[in-house]
Amino acid sequence: MKHFLAGLDPAVRSMALLRLLSASIEMTAAVLMLVFNDVRKAVLINSLLAIVGPVIFILTMTIGIFQIAEQLSYAKLIFISIGVAFILIGVYK
């Protein structure tokens, strides 16, 4: 397993590890909701997840865009940035 991880691109490895971290946080939140068995606490836990999701999304996109920025034109980078902004606006509005 150690050799497999060493052969991966560092950016891809970082992005995947962030997604695994996000999934672990989501699973922990689901278990906590079941343990507490209270709607108010479940809503509170769910609201905290609303912060975690976009942060992980922004971090993974940033890592990916930095790695491919040299291969993209400025126009494509602007379109990607606009797309990310639209996603965040859609989540928060």
Side-chain angles (χ1 to χ4, degrees):
M1 184 71 165
K2 193 175 191 179
H3 298 291
F4 171 72
L5 292 177
L8 293 176
D9 183 280
V12 173
R13 186 176 43 217
S14 298
M15 292 171 72
L17 289 175
L18 279 170
R19 283 295 167 191
L20 287 171
L21 173 66
S22 177
S24 299
I25 293 170
E26 295 270 346
M27 292 295 292
T28 303
V31 170
L32 287 174
M33 287 179 190
L34 293 172
V35 168
F36 289 131
N37 195 26
D38 181 27
V39 174
R40 288 186 181 130
K41 290 180 182 174
V43 169
L44 177 67
I45 292 168
N46 197 48
S47 67
L48 293 174
L49 290 176
I51 297 168
V52 172
V55 169
I56 298 292
F57 171 70
I58 290 169
L59 289 173
T60 56
M61 286 298 293
T62 302
I63 292 169
I65 289 172
F66 275 135
Q67 290 300 310
I68 63 171
E70 295 175 352
Q71 302 168 2
L72 297 176
S73 67
Y74 288 118
K76 287 182 181 181
L77 287 173
I78 290 170
F79 281 129
I80 291 170
S81 299
I82 291 170
V84 170
F86 280 151
I87 290 170
L88 293 174
I89 289 169
V91 167
Y92 285 114
K93 298 253 177 179

